[in-house]
Amino acid sequence: MQPFIRFSHAVDMLNGWFGQLANILILLACVVNASNALLRYGFDLSDNWPLELQWYLFGAAVMLGASHTLAQNGHVRVDIIYGNVSERTRLWIDIFGLLLFLLPACALFAWLSWKTLFLPSWDILEHSSNSGGLPRYPIKFMLPLGFGLLVLQGLSELVKRFAALKGKLQLNTHYERPEQ
């Protein structure tokens, strides 16, 4: 069980780093937005690339931050049954949810976005059709990367749930709000 727990900690650390990167990308998107507004309305200068860059930064932040949000238990839950059952039952609900929903969906989305979205864009070095537009293949890479990170984090969460069932790890299954 220890190698799996070490894997889980490594994935948590990796996604913690990507979560911090997502925070920085949000800040940069705000700076780009403010700069673009100043250029557009203050100096009557307008170009498309700052607006596209802002979208890219927000999109990358969402895709790179989703796995860290899962690790921090920050995703929305519907708590109709979950809040009224034992901790052991909560662990089993999480395990089945991870195995039946999160992992298959994210693995499928990672593969599909790699094969049908990123690779065709990379092959032609796709650029925006807007004047002064940015390359599109870097942001399209964020989809398979983000879903891949979610798969890794899902596996990490699965390891934690099984370790908690075996008594090897103490896990807080009270999900009223994310822990700070």
Side-chain angles (χ1 to χ4, degrees):
M1 187 54 119
Q2 282 303 337
F4 293 112
I5 292 174
R6 281 195 300 274
F7 164 79
S8 176
H9 288 307
V11 169
D12 290 351
M13 285 178 51
L14 173 71
N15 283 323
W17 184 83
F18 276 111
Q20 292 302 314
L21 179 60
N23 288 338
I24 293 168
L25 293 175
I26 292 292
L27 176 63
L28 289 175
C30 293
V31 169
V32 168
N33 184 30
S35 302
N36 190 34
L38 178 67
L39 289 174
R40 180 170 293 197
Y41 299 113
F43 298 103
D44 200 29
L45 299 173
S46 179
D47 206 350
N48 289 324
W49 71 265
L51 184 59
E52 287 185 11
L53 179 60
Q54 179 185 343
W55 294 343
Y56 287 14
L57 291 169
F58 275 126
V62 167
M63 293 310 298
L64 297 178
S67 55
H68 179 65
T69 303
L70 178 61
Q72 298 300 308
N73 194 37
H75 289 283
V76 174
R77 288 181 180 261
V78 178
D79 196 19
I80 296 169
I81 297 171
Y82 201 84
N84 299 318
V85 295
S86 70
E87 183 171 336
R88 190 166 184 80
T89 304
R90 289 179 188 167
L91 292 170
W92 279 110
I93 290 171
D94 286 348
I95 288 169
F96 286 119
L98 289 164
L99 286 173
L100 295 176
F101 300 108
L102 184 113
L103 290 172
C106 288
L108 178 66
F109 293 152
W111 179 74
L112 286 174
S113 60
W114 176 265
K115 184 102 171 119
T116 64
L117 194 66
F118 170 69
L119 282 182
S121 182
W122 171 260
D123 285 343
I124 63 170
L125 299 176
E126 181 182 11
H127 276 68
S128 170
S129 60
N130 294 324
S131 174
L134 299 175
R136 288 208 172 143
Y137 54 91
I139 192 61
K140 288 185 177 184
F141 177 68
M142 290 298 117
L143 282 136
L145 177 61
F147 284 119
L149 291 171
L150 266 172
V151 167
L152 285 175
Q153 191 60 50
L155 292 172
S156 173
E157 297 303 313
L158 201 57
V159 165
K160 290 182 220 174
R161 288 346 182 248
F162 279 119
L165 283 172
K166 289 184 166 237
K168 305 282 185 191
L169 186 69
Q170 186 65 29
L171 197 60
N172 182 5
T173 59
H174 184 70
Y175 294 116
E176 209 166 297
R177 64 181 209 111
E179 293 181 16
Q180 298 298 326

